[in-house]
């Protein structure tokens, strides 16, 4: 990692060599600078470019991707073939600006090295020029696109979570409904059993009452029969008493004795 102190660079030796004139997309460098400068400017609001000047006098510039953290900013440079068009010493500088052009910042000059390759001759055409405002607008557009993509992804994730929750709630509702139906079926079965038991109890009670009535009728009949027999016995006794006179018109010798027509004695 290359650190920026003030406006100068602290570059490890191995990172000064950025590749060969044949390379593309095989190397990258990260520059780290403080987010807040001494004049309290928040550097995270700026767009960053890496400007080059090659040994043949040609110039170039490339975009630096930003990663913003709490205290520092990382500027990522992915090295492509147009950044290393020829071997030799490459002067570079980091340039920063805001979209309105009211804040501009430049680092000090420093150098990288591009190594040659065997039997290759690279030519670089197109002294690249840029319009800072257009680049800044492009940066903002890219950032806006990233934000929109992140927002869409967040919304999709939230919708997926909501759908998962809805499905879980629906499954729980179905399970509860199945339990309710099962409980209702059990209640109906128990109610039918209760009604059958009540009907049997009523029937048995009616049978018992009928039996009791029949028994009462038999008791009444028995009582009437006993009363009849008793009355007949009393009638017989009365008859005997009335007829207990001597057939010849004489009274018995004692109060309790009567003589029948055969001459015998009847003891009452």
């Amino acid at each position: 990692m290359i650190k920026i102190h003030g406006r100068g660079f602290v570059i490890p030796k191995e990172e000064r060599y950025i590749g060969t004139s044949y390379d593309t997309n095989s190397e990258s460098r990260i520059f780290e600078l403080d987010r807040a400068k001494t004049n309290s400017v928040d550097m995270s609001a700026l767009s960053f470019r890496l400007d080059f000047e090659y040994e043949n006098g040609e110039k170039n510039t490339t975009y630096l991707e930003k990663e913003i953290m709490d205290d520092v900013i990382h500027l990522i440079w992915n090295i492509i073939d147009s950044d290393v068009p020829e071997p030799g010493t490459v002067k570079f500088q980091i340039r920063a600006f805001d979209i309105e052009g009211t804040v501009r910042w430049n680092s000090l000059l420093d150098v990288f090295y591009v190594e040659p390759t065997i039997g290759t001759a690279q030519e670089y055409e197109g002294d690249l020029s840029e319009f800072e405002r257009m680049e800044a607008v492009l940066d903002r557009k890219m950032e806006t696109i990233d934000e929109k993509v992140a927002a869409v992804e967040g919304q999709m994730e939230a919708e997926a979570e909501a759908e998962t929750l809805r499905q879980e709630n629906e499954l729980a509702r179905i399970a509860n409904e199945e339990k309710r139906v099962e409980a209702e079926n059990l209640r109906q079965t128990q109610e039918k059993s209760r009604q059958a038991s009540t009907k049997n109890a009523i029937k048995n009670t009616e049978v018992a009452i009928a039996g009791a009535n029949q028994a009462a009728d038999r008791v009444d009949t028995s009582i009437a029969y006993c009363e009849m027999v008793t009355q007949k016995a009393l009638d017989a006794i009365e008859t005997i008493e009335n007829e207990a006179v001597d057939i010849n018109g004489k009274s018995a010798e004692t109060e309790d004795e009567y003589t029948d027509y055969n001459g015998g004695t009847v003891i009452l």
Side-chain angles (χ1 to χ4, degrees):
M1 182 180 293
I2 301 170
K3 295 190 176 183
I4 303 173
H5 291 313
R7 294 176 182 267
F9 298 91
V10 178
I11 306 176
K13 181 179 179 181
E14 64 274 9
E15 294 202 27
R16 282 196 181 275
Y17 293 86
I18 57 175
T20 72
S21 55
Y22 179 75
D23 292 348
T24 185
N25 293 317
S26 58
E27 290 280 348
S28 65
R29 295 292 184 268
I30 298 176
F31 301 89
E32 183 181 272
L33 75 158
D34 293 335
R35 180 170 175 174
K37 290 300 182 182
T38 55
N39 57 357
S40 300
V41 174
D42 186 356
M43 301 293 285
S44 64
L46 304 181
S47 297
F48 291 87
R49 294 292 183 275
L50 185 60
D51 294 332
F52 308 103
E53 184 177 356
Y54 304 101
E55 287 186 350
N56 62 2
E58 297 288 340
K59 295 179 182 179
N60 194 3
T61 189
T62 189
Y63 170 78
L64 293 177
E65 182 181 349
K66 267 187 314 190
E67 284 188 357
I68 302 171
M69 283 156 275
D70 292 337
D71 299 322
V72 297
I73 302 171
H74 284 175
L75 304 174
I76 301 171
W77 173 31
N78 293 310
I79 303 172
I80 59 175
D81 55 354
S82 61
D83 296 335
V84 287
E86 61 180 28
T89 301
V90 180
K91 296 178 183 179
F92 74 92
Q93 219 173 12
I94 290 180
R95 175 169 46 92
F97 49 91
D98 65 359
I99 190 169
E100 292 84 11
T102 57
V103 178
R104 296 170 180 268
W105 179 88
N106 244 13
S107 71
L108 299 178
L109 282 170
D110 211 318
V111 295
F112 288 123
Y113 301 111
V114 178
E115 293 295 314
T117 58
I118 298 176
T120 62
Q122 303 293 332
E123 293 184 358
Y124 175 71
E125 296 180 355
D127 183 10
L128 299 181
S129 62
E130 67 164 334
F131 298 95
E132 293 179 350
R133 181 175 294 275
M134 293 177 62
E135 289 182 331
V137 170
L138 178 60
D139 288 351
R140 288 294 178 87
K141 292 291 185 182
M142 293 178 64
E143 291 174 359
T144 301
I145 291 172
D146 290 341
E147 291 173 358
K148 289 183 177 179
V149 169
V152 170
E153 289 176 348
Q155 182 178 357
M156 292 176 63
E157 184 177 352
E159 290 176 353
E161 291 178 355
E163 177 63 18
T164 299
L165 180 60
R166 188 196 66 77
Q167 292 178 359
E168 291 176 352
N169 291 337
E170 179 64 15
L171 292 175
R173 187 194 66 77
I174 293 173
N176 290 334
E177 179 64 18
E178 290 176 350
K179 289 181 180 179
R180 189 195 66 77
V181 172
E182 184 179 353
E184 178 63 19
N185 291 338
L186 179 61
R187 187 195 66 77
Q188 292 180 0
T189 300
Q190 291 175 344
E191 178 63 19
K192 289 180 181 179
S193 177
R194 186 192 66 79
Q195 291 177 357
S197 298
T198 301
K199 188 179 293 185
N200 290 334
I202 292 173
K203 184 176 181 181
N204 292 336
T205 301
E206 290 175 347
V207 171
I209 291 173
N213 290 335
Q214 291 176 358
D217 291 341
R218 288 195 294 270
V219 170
D220 292 342
T221 302
S222 298
I223 292 173
Y225 177 77
C226 290
E227 289 176 348
M228 181 188 69
V229 172
T230 301
Q231 186 63 43
K232 286 183 178 181
L234 292 174
D235 292 344
I237 292 172
E238 184 179 0
T239 301
I240 293 172
E241 288 179 346
N242 293 332
E243 292 179 354
V245 178
D246 184 71
I247 193 171
N248 295 319
K250 297 181 179 181
S251 300
E253 295 180 353
T254 65
E255 183 179 356
D256 297 328
E257 293 182 356
Y258 298 91
T259 303
D260 64 8
Y261 65 92
N262 291 323
T265 301
V266 176
I267 307 299
L268 297 178

